[in-house]
PDB file of all heavy atoms in Angstrom:
ATOM      1  N   LEU R   1       0.827  -1.211   0.000  1.00 92.00           N
ATOM      2  CA  LEU R   1       0.000   0.000   0.000  1.00 92.00           C
ATOM      3  C   LEU R   1       0.859   1.258   0.000  1.00 92.00           C
ATOM      4  O   LEU R   1       0.562   2.242  -0.690  1.00 92.00           O
ATOM      5  CB  LEU R   1      -0.930  -0.003   1.216  1.00 92.00           C
ATOM      6  CG  LEU R   1      -2.121  -0.962   1.177  1.00 92.00           C
ATOM      7  CD1 LEU R   1      -2.864  -0.939   2.514  1.00 92.00           C
ATOM      8  CD2 LEU R   1      -3.075  -0.590   0.041  1.00 92.00           C
ATOM      9  N   VAL R   2       1.932   1.260   0.797  1.00 90.00           N
ATOM     10  CA  VAL R   2       2.851   2.406   0.842  1.00 90.00           C
ATOM     11  C   VAL R   2       3.471   2.643  -0.527  1.00 90.00           C
ATOM     12  O   VAL R   2       3.539   3.785  -1.017  1.00 90.00           O
ATOM     13  CB  VAL R   2       3.935   2.182   1.917  1.00 90.00           C
ATOM     14  CG1 VAL R   2       5.027   3.253   1.800  1.00 90.00           C
ATOM     15  CG2 VAL R   2       3.333   2.202   3.312  1.00 90.00           C
ATOM     16  N   ASP R   3       3.904   1.567  -1.180  1.00 89.00           N
ATOM     17  CA  ASP R   3       4.511   1.699  -2.511  1.00 89.00           C
ATOM     18  C   ASP R   3       3.492   2.180  -3.537  1.00 89.00           C
ATOM     19  O   ASP R   3       3.822   2.972  -4.434  1.00 89.00           O
ATOM     20  CB  ASP R   3       5.101   0.354  -2.949  1.00 89.00           C
ATOM     21  CG  ASP R   3       6.343  -0.019  -2.153  1.00 89.00           C
ATOM     22  OD1 ASP R   3       6.935   0.890  -1.533  1.00 89.00           O
ATOM     23  OD2 ASP R   3       6.712  -1.214  -2.148  1.00 89.00           O
ATOM     24  N   GLN R   4       2.264   1.696  -3.411  1.00 87.00           N
ATOM     25  CA  GLN R   4       1.210   2.103  -4.353  1.00 87.00           C
ATOM     26  C   GLN R   4       0.971   3.609  -4.291  1.00 87.00           C
ATOM     27  O   GLN R   4       0.885   4.282  -5.327  1.00 87.00           O
ATOM     28  CB  GLN R   4      -0.090   1.358  -4.033  1.00 87.00           C
ATOM     29  CG  GLN R   4      -1.287   1.808  -4.857  1.00 87.00           C
ATOM     30  CD  GLN R   4      -2.587   1.205  -4.349  1.00 87.00           C
ATOM     31  OE1 GLN R   4      -2.585   0.125  -3.763  1.00 87.00           O
ATOM     32  NE2 GLN R   4      -3.691   1.907  -4.563  1.00 87.00           N
ATOM     33  N   VAL R   5       0.864   4.141  -3.081  1.00 87.00           N
ATOM     34  CA  VAL R   5       0.647   5.582  -2.914  1.00 87.00           C
ATOM     35  C   VAL R   5       1.833   6.363  -3.468  1.00 87.00           C
ATOM     36  O   VAL R   5       1.660   7.378  -4.161  1.00 87.00           O
ATOM     37  CB  VAL R   5       0.408   5.927  -1.432  1.00 87.00           C
ATOM     38  CG1 VAL R   5       0.369   7.448  -1.229  1.00 87.00           C
ATOM     39  CG2 VAL R   5      -0.889   5.304  -0.934  1.00 87.00           C
ATOM     40  N   SER R   6       3.031   5.913  -3.207  1.00 81.00           N
ATOM     41  CA  SER R   6       4.235   6.600  -3.680  1.00 81.00           C
ATOM     42  C   SER R   6       4.306   6.589  -5.202  1.00 81.00           C
ATOM     43  O   SER R   6       4.674   7.593  -5.828  1.00 81.00           O
ATOM     44  CB  SER R   6       5.489   5.951  -3.083  1.00 81.00           C
ATOM     45  OG  SER R   6       5.490   6.072  -1.677  1.00 81.00           O
ATOM     46  N   ARG R   7       3.951   5.443  -5.820  1.00 79.00           N
ATOM     47  CA  ARG R   7       3.996   5.355  -7.278  1.00 79.00           C
ATOM     48  C   ARG R   7       3.022   6.329  -7.928  1.00 79.00           C
ATOM     49  O   ARG R   7       3.274   6.836  -9.022  1.00 79.00           O
ATOM     50  CB  ARG R   7       3.655   3.922  -7.726  1.00 79.00           C
ATOM     51  CG  ARG R   7       4.795   2.941  -7.632  1.00 79.00           C
ATOM     52  CD  ARG R   7       4.498   1.679  -8.436  1.00 79.00           C
ATOM     53  NE  ARG R   7       3.213   1.080  -8.085  1.00 79.00           N
ATOM     54  CZ  ARG R   7       3.038   0.202  -7.111  1.00 79.00           C
ATOM     55  NH1 ARG R   7       4.085  -0.182  -6.372  1.00 79.00           N
ATOM     56  NH2 ARG R   7       1.846  -0.313  -6.864  1.00 79.00           N
ATOM     57  N   GLU R   8       1.918   6.583  -7.265  1.00 78.00           N
ATOM     58  CA  GLU R   8       0.902   7.477  -7.816  1.00 78.00           C
ATOM     59  C   GLU R   8       1.181   8.943  -7.501  1.00 78.00           C
ATOM     60  O   GLU R   8       0.350   9.815  -7.785  1.00 78.00           O
ATOM     61  CB  GLU R   8      -0.476   7.078  -7.277  1.00 78.00           C
ATOM     62  CG  GLU R   8      -0.929   5.708  -7.762  1.00 78.00           C
ATOM     63  CD  GLU R   8      -2.241   5.272  -7.128  1.00 78.00           C
ATOM     64  OE1 GLU R   8      -2.820   6.083  -6.364  1.00 78.00           O
ATOM     65  OE2 GLU R   8      -2.685   4.142  -7.393  1.00 78.00           O
ATOM     66  N   GLY R   9       2.351   9.209  -6.910  1.00 71.00           N
ATOM     67  CA  GLY R   9       2.736  10.591  -6.644  1.00 71.00           C
ATOM     68  C   GLY R   9       2.235  11.147  -5.344  1.00 71.00           C
ATOM     69  O   GLY R   9       2.347  12.350  -5.088  1.00 71.00           O
ATOM     70  N   GLY R  10       1.659  10.285  -4.485  1.00 80.00           N
ATOM     71  CA  GLY R  10       1.156  10.747  -3.201  1.00 80.00           C
ATOM     72  C   GLY R  10       2.152  10.536  -2.077  1.00 80.00           C
ATOM     73  O   GLY R  10       3.254  10.013  -2.288  1.00 80.00           O
ATOM     74  N   THR R  11       1.757  10.971  -0.899  1.00 82.00           N
ATOM     75  CA  THR R  11       2.568  10.775   0.306  1.00 82.00           C
ATOM     76  C   THR R  11       1.820   9.819   1.236  1.00 82.00           C
ATOM     77  O   THR R  11       0.691  10.122   1.644  1.00 82.00           O
ATOM     78  CB  THR R  11       2.814  12.109   1.026  1.00 82.00           C
ATOM     79  OG1 THR R  11       3.501  12.986   0.148  1.00 82.00           O
ATOM     80  CG2 THR R  11       3.644  11.890   2.284  1.00 82.00           C
ATOM     81  N   PRO R  12       2.405   8.642   1.572  1.00 90.00           N
ATOM     82  CA  PRO R  12       1.711   7.693   2.442  1.00 90.00           C
ATOM     83  C   PRO R  12       1.965   7.995   3.918  1.00 90.00           C
ATOM     84  O   PRO R  12       3.092   8.244   4.336  1.00 90.00           O
ATOM     85  CB  PRO R  12       2.329   6.354   2.042  1.00 90.00           C
ATOM     86  CG  PRO R  12       3.708   6.699   1.590  1.00 90.00           C
ATOM     87  CD  PRO R  12       3.651   8.093   1.021  1.00 90.00           C
ATOM     88  N   LEU R  13       0.905   8.012   4.697  1.00 92.00           N
ATOM     89  CA  LEU R  13       1.003   8.065   6.152  1.00 92.00           C
ATOM     90  C   LEU R  13       0.370   6.789   6.697  1.00 92.00           C
ATOM     91  O   LEU R  13      -0.731   6.405   6.262  1.00 92.00           O
ATOM     92  CB  LEU R  13       0.271   9.285   6.720  1.00 92.00           C
ATOM     93  CG  LEU R  13       0.813  10.666   6.342  1.00 92.00           C
ATOM     94  CD1 LEU R  13      -0.026  11.745   7.017  1.00 92.00           C
ATOM     95  CD2 LEU R  13       2.268  10.814   6.717  1.00 92.00           C
ATOM     96  N   VAL R  14       1.047   6.156   7.628  1.00 94.00           N
ATOM     97  CA  VAL R  14       0.569   4.885   8.172  1.00 94.00           C
ATOM     98  C   VAL R  14      -0.136   5.125   9.498  1.00 94.00           C
ATOM     99  O   VAL R  14       0.313   5.933  10.321  1.00 94.00           O
ATOM    100  CB  VAL R  14       1.740   3.893   8.344  1.00 94.00           C
ATOM    101  CG1 VAL R  14       1.274   2.615   9.043  1.00 94.00           C
ATOM    102  CG2 VAL R  14       2.342   3.568   6.981  1.00 94.00           C
ATOM    103  N   VAL R  15      -1.260   4.404   9.709  1.00 95.00           N
ATOM    104  CA  VAL R  15      -2.012   4.469  10.960  1.00 95.00           C
ATOM    105  C   VAL R  15      -1.898   3.110  11.655  1.00 95.00           C
ATOM    106  O   VAL R  15      -2.106   2.060  11.024  1.00 95.00           O
ATOM    107  CB  VAL R  15      -3.496   4.801  10.709  1.00 95.00           C
ATOM    108  CG1 VAL R  15      -4.256   4.890  12.042  1.00 95.00           C
ATOM    109  CG2 VAL R  15      -3.628   6.105   9.943  1.00 95.00           C
ATOM    110  N   ALA R  16      -1.564   3.125  12.944  1.00 94.00           N
ATOM    111  CA  ALA R  16      -1.408   1.869  13.702  1.00 94.00           C
ATOM    112  C   ALA R  16      -1.999   2.027  15.093  1.00 94.00           C
ATOM    113  O   ALA R  16      -2.196   3.153  15.582  1.00 94.00           O
ATOM    114  CB  ALA R  16       0.068   1.493  13.784  1.00 94.00           C
ATOM    115  N   GLU R  17      -2.282   0.889  15.735  1.00 94.00           N
ATOM    116  CA  GLU R  17      -2.800   0.924  17.101  1.00 94.00           C
ATOM    117  C   GLU R  17      -2.161  -0.192  17.932  1.00 94.00           C
ATOM    118  O   GLU R  17      -1.683  -1.202  17.382  1.00 94.00           O
ATOM    119  CB  GLU R  17      -4.320   0.771  17.105  1.00 94.00           C
ATOM    120  CG  GLU R  17      -4.820  -0.576  16.638  1.00 94.00           C
ATOM    121  CD  GLU R  17      -6.337  -0.729  16.766  1.00 94.00           C
ATOM    122  OE1 GLU R  17      -6.980   0.219  17.266  1.00 94.00           O
ATOM    123  OE2 GLU R  17      -6.863  -1.773  16.352  1.00 94.00           O
ATOM    124  N   HIS R  18      -2.168   0.027  19.263  1.00 92.00           N
ATOM    125  CA  HIS R  18      -1.615  -0.974  20.184  1.00 92.00           C
ATOM    126  C   HIS R  18      -2.428  -0.942  21.467  1.00 92.00           C
ATOM    127  O   HIS R  18      -2.478   0.085  22.150  1.00 92.00           O
ATOM    128  CB  HIS R  18      -0.140  -0.680  20.474  1.00 92.00           C
ATOM    129  CG  HIS R  18       0.474  -1.635  21.438  1.00 92.00           C
ATOM    130  ND1 HIS R  18       1.400  -1.247  22.385  1.00 92.00           N
ATOM    131  CD2 HIS R  18       0.283  -2.972  21.633  1.00 92.00           C
ATOM    132  CE1 HIS R  18       1.762  -2.298  23.100  1.00 92.00           C
ATOM    133  NE2 HIS R  18       1.094  -3.366  22.665  1.00 92.00           N
ATOM    134  N   GLN R  19      -3.055  -2.067  21.777  1.00 90.00           N
ATOM    135  CA  GLN R  19      -3.827  -2.221  23.006  1.00 90.00           C
ATOM    136  C   GLN R  19      -3.005  -3.064  23.977  1.00 90.00           C
ATOM    137  O   GLN R  19      -2.391  -4.054  23.582  1.00 90.00           O
ATOM    138  CB  GLN R  19      -5.150  -2.927  22.710  1.00 90.00           C
ATOM    139  CG  GLN R  19      -6.060  -3.085  23.901  1.00 90.00           C
ATOM    140  CD  GLN R  19      -6.911  -1.850  24.155  1.00 90.00           C
ATOM    141  OE1 GLN R  19      -7.279  -1.143  23.228  1.00 90.00           O
ATOM    142  NE2 GLN R  19      -7.185  -1.573  25.422  1.00 90.00           N
ATOM    143  N   ASP R  20      -2.983  -2.624  25.245  1.00 88.00           N
ATOM    144  CA  ASP R  20      -2.249  -3.414  26.243  1.00 88.00           C
ATOM    145  C   ASP R  20      -2.686  -4.875  26.188  1.00 88.00           C
ATOM    146  O   ASP R  20      -3.896  -5.183  26.136  1.00 88.00           O
ATOM    147  CB  ASP R  20      -2.505  -2.869  27.648  1.00 88.00           C
ATOM    148  CG  ASP R  20      -1.645  -1.655  27.968  1.00 88.00           C
ATOM    149  OD1 ASP R  20      -0.767  -1.338  27.153  1.00 88.00           O
ATOM    150  OD2 ASP R  20      -1.878  -1.018  29.023  1.00 88.00           O
ATOM    151  N   GLY R  21      -1.706  -5.734  26.176  1.00 84.00           N
ATOM    152  CA  GLY R  21      -1.995  -7.158  26.166  1.00 84.00           C
ATOM    153  C   GLY R  21      -2.187  -7.726  24.784  1.00 84.00           C
ATOM    154  O   GLY R  21      -2.392  -8.940  24.639  1.00 84.00           O
ATOM    155  N   GLU R  22      -2.141  -6.863  23.757  1.00 88.00           N
ATOM    156  CA  GLU R  22      -2.294  -7.336  22.381  1.00 88.00           C
ATOM    157  C   GLU R  22      -1.082  -6.920  21.552  1.00 88.00           C
ATOM    158  O   GLU R  22      -0.279  -6.085  21.973  1.00 88.00           O
ATOM    159  CB  GLU R  22      -3.574  -6.765  21.758  1.00 88.00           C
ATOM    160  CG  GLU R  22      -4.848  -7.186  22.461  1.00 88.00           C
ATOM    161  CD  GLU R  22      -6.085  -6.593  21.806  1.00 88.00           C
ATOM    162  OE1 GLU R  22      -5.934  -5.969  20.720  1.00 88.00           O
ATOM    163  OE2 GLU R  22      -7.190  -6.718  22.367  1.00 88.00           O
ATOM    164  N   THR R  23      -0.975  -7.488  20.357  1.00 88.00           N
ATOM    165  CA  THR R  23       0.129  -7.155  19.460  1.00 88.00           C
ATOM    166  C   THR R  23      -0.215  -5.893  18.674  1.00 88.00           C
ATOM    167  O   THR R  23      -1.341  -5.744  18.177  1.00 88.00           O
ATOM    168  CB  THR R  23       0.395  -8.311  18.473  1.00 88.00           C
ATOM    169  OG1 THR R  23       0.679  -9.493  19.225  1.00 88.00           O
ATOM    170  CG2 THR R  23       1.563  -7.990  17.564  1.00 88.00           C
ATOM    171  N   ALA R  24       0.724  -4.983  18.577  1.00 90.00           N
ATOM    172  CA  ALA R  24       0.516  -3.772  17.776  1.00 90.00           C
ATOM    173  C   ALA R  24       0.286  -4.152  16.314  1.00 90.00           C
ATOM    174  O   ALA R  24       0.875  -5.107  15.810  1.00 90.00           O
ATOM    175  CB  ALA R  24       1.720  -2.852  17.902  1.00 90.00           C
ATOM    176  N   ARG R  25      -0.580  -3.402  15.672  1.00 93.00           N
ATOM    177  CA  ARG R  25      -0.854  -3.711  14.268  1.00 93.00           C
ATOM    178  C   ARG R  25      -1.083  -2.429  13.470  1.00 93.00           C
ATOM    179  O   ARG R  25      -1.478  -1.390  14.008  1.00 93.00           O
ATOM    180  CB  ARG R  25      -2.084  -4.609  14.157  1.00 93.00           C
ATOM    181  CG  ARG R  25      -3.376  -3.957  14.645  1.00 93.00           C
ATOM    182  CD  ARG R  25      -4.590  -4.766  14.290  1.00 93.00           C
ATOM    183  NE  ARG R  25      -5.828  -4.116  14.730  1.00 93.00           N
ATOM    184  CZ  ARG R  25      -7.035  -4.425  14.244  1.00 93.00           C
ATOM    185  NH1 ARG R  25      -7.159  -5.358  13.311  1.00 93.00           N
ATOM    186  NH2 ARG R  25      -8.106  -3.802  14.703  1.00 93.00           N
ATOM    187  N   VAL R  26      -0.829  -2.552  12.148  1.00 93.00           N
ATOM    188  CA  VAL R  26      -1.093  -1.448  11.219  1.00 93.00           C
ATOM    189  C   VAL R  26      -2.527  -1.561  10.738  1.00 93.00           C
ATOM    190  O   VAL R  26      -2.975  -2.644  10.325  1.00 93.00           O
ATOM    191  CB  VAL R  26      -0.127  -1.487  10.020  1.00 93.00           C
ATOM    192  CG1 VAL R  26      -0.534  -0.453   8.975  1.00 93.00           C
ATOM    193  CG2 VAL R  26       1.295  -1.229  10.474  1.00 93.00           C
ATOM    194  N   LEU R  27      -3.271  -0.447  10.792  1.00 93.00           N
ATOM    195  CA  LEU R  27      -4.663  -0.434  10.343  1.00 93.00           C
ATOM    196  C   LEU R  27      -4.801  -0.101   8.864  1.00 93.00           C
ATOM    197  O   LEU R  27      -5.731  -0.569   8.199  1.00 93.00           O
ATOM    198  CB  LEU R  27      -5.463   0.579  11.166  1.00 93.00           C
ATOM    199  CG  LEU R  27      -5.507   0.338  12.680  1.00 93.00           C
ATOM    200  CD1 LEU R  27      -6.279   1.461  13.363  1.00 93.00           C
ATOM    201  CD2 LEU R  27      -6.124  -1.019  12.997  1.00 93.00           C
ATOM    202  N   GLY R  28      -3.896   0.737   8.370  1.00 94.00           N
ATOM    203  CA  GLY R  28      -3.986   1.109   6.964  1.00 94.00           C
ATOM    204  C   GLY R  28      -3.109   2.311   6.644  1.00 94.00           C
ATOM    205  O   GLY R  28      -2.267   2.726   7.456  1.00 94.00           O
ATOM    206  N   VAL R  29      -3.332   2.846   5.460  1.00 94.00           N
ATOM    207  CA  VAL R  29      -2.501   3.942   4.942  1.00 94.00           C
ATOM    208  C   VAL R  29      -3.393   5.121   4.534  1.00 94.00           C
ATOM    209  O   VAL R  29      -4.451   4.925   3.917  1.00 94.00           O
ATOM    210  CB  VAL R  29      -1.670   3.467   3.727  1.00 94.00           C
ATOM    211  CG1 VAL R  29      -0.903   4.631   3.113  1.00 94.00           C
ATOM    212  CG2 VAL R  29      -0.715   2.357   4.141  1.00 94.00           C
ATOM    213  N   ILE R  30      -2.981   6.296   4.919  1.00 94.00           N
ATOM    214  CA  ILE R  30      -3.653   7.535   4.480  1.00 94.00           C
ATOM    215  C   ILE R  30      -2.948   8.033   3.231  1.00 94.00           C
ATOM    216  O   ILE R  30      -1.719   8.170   3.207  1.00 94.00           O
ATOM    217  CB  ILE R  30      -3.599   8.615   5.578  1.00 94.00           C
ATOM    218  CG1 ILE R  30      -4.297   8.128   6.846  1.00 94.00           C
ATOM    219  CG2 ILE R  30      -4.228   9.914   5.074  1.00 94.00           C
ATOM    220  CD1 ILE R  30      -4.098   9.070   8.026  1.00 94.00           C
ATOM    221  N   TYR R  31      -3.719   8.296   2.192  1.00 92.00           N
ATOM    222  CA  TYR R  31      -3.175   8.803   0.923  1.00 92.00           C
ATOM    223  C   TYR R  31      -3.226  10.331   0.969  1.00 92.00           C
ATOM    224  O   TYR R  31      -4.284  10.939   0.872  1.00 92.00           O
ATOM    225  CB  TYR R  31      -4.012   8.273  -0.232  1.00 92.00           C
ATOM    226  CG  TYR R  31      -3.472   8.529  -1.619  1.00 92.00           C
ATOM    227  CD1 TYR R  31      -3.772   7.661  -2.663  1.00 92.00           C
ATOM    228  CD2 TYR R  31      -2.685   9.636  -1.926  1.00 92.00           C
ATOM    229  CE1 TYR R  31      -3.309   7.873  -3.948  1.00 92.00           C
ATOM    230  CE2 TYR R  31      -2.207   9.862  -3.196  1.00 92.00           C
ATOM    231  CZ  TYR R  31      -2.531   8.976  -4.215  1.00 92.00           C
ATOM    232  OH  TYR R  31      -2.056   9.199  -5.484  1.00 92.00           O
ATOM    233  N   LEU R  32      -2.056  10.973   1.158  1.00 88.00           N
ATOM    234  CA  LEU R  32      -1.957  12.438   1.095  1.00 88.00           C
ATOM    235  C   LEU R  32      -1.580  12.832  -0.323  1.00 88.00           C
ATOM    236  O   LEU R  32      -0.597  12.328  -0.877  1.00 88.00           O
ATOM    237  CB  LEU R  32      -0.897  12.961   2.059  1.00 88.00           C
ATOM    238  CG  LEU R  32      -1.227  12.990   3.557  1.00 88.00           C
ATOM    239  CD1 LEU R  32      -0.068  13.623   4.309  1.00 88.00           C
ATOM    240  CD2 LEU R  32      -2.502  13.738   3.837  1.00 88.00           C
TER     241      LEU R  32
END
């Protein structure tokens, strides 16, 4: 997803979350 946004001339921002007791994960990419 990051590469896709970059190829299209955009700026990728990544959104992630981490809950105590769980594994941190990436939710997705914001296309700027």
Side-chain angles (χ1 to χ4, degrees):
L1 286 174
V2 170
D3 289 342
Q4 174 189 332
V5 172
S6 297
R7 280 196 307 272
E8 294 175 4
T11 300
L13 296 181
V14 174
V15 181
E17 66 175 358
H18 178 217
Q19 183 84 32
D20 279 353
E22 298 180 7
T23 302
R25 64 169 182 162
V26 172
L27 300 177
V29 175
I30 300 172
Y31 189 152
L32 285 183

